[in-house]
Amino acid sequence: MPKHPIAVELEAINRDGETQVVRDCGLPVQGYSVYLRAVEASGLALATWIADYDTIGPAYQLAERLSIALAIPLTVLVPEPLMPVQSGPAATTGVITMAN
């Protein structure tokens, strides 16, 4: 069944190596994962892992490029202080949501 992409997600990896949304800025972050969320024709939503990175820079760049290429929102689910500094008009493409 074909899948319709609905979002690119950038999530933090905790100290146990589990990929998860990090909602507390005090938690240690060991890396970042990029996922593509899609909906099947049946309506079932799935997330497909794309890549893991040690630092946020390359992970954010990949997530942003996928978001632009697929014309779907980018959801960033990492602690607020770890967000990269945005510069230029290209960085404003897509919807960016930060976890609290």
Side-chain angles (χ1 to χ4, degrees):
M1 304 284 284
K3 297 178 181 85
H4 175 69
I6 58 171
V8 176
E9 297 176 351
L10 174 60
E11 297 184 356
I13 301 172
N14 69 15
R15 66 182 172 275
D16 297 323
E18 300 167 342
T19 301
Q20 64 180 29
V21 177
V22 176
R23 299 191 184 281
D24 181 351
C25 294
L27 291 176
V29 173
Q30 301 297 315
Y32 303 88
S33 291
V34 177
Y35 284 87
L36 178 62
R37 186 160 300 278
V39 175
E40 291 188 330
S42 66
L44 181 65
L46 302 171
T48 301
W49 172 82
I50 303 294
D52 285 339
Y53 291 93
D54 292 333
T55 60
I56 195 168
Y60 185 85
Q61 289 175 357
L62 174 62
E64 184 178 43
R65 287 179 182 161
L66 283 171
S67 174
I68 292 168
L70 297 172
I72 55 177
L74 168 58
T75 304
V76 178
L77 302 167
V78 300
E80 203 168 312
L82 299 176
M83 287 294 300
V85 175
Q86 296 182 3
S87 61
T92 60
T93 304
V95 176
I96 297 176
T97 307
M98 291 185 292
N100 292 329

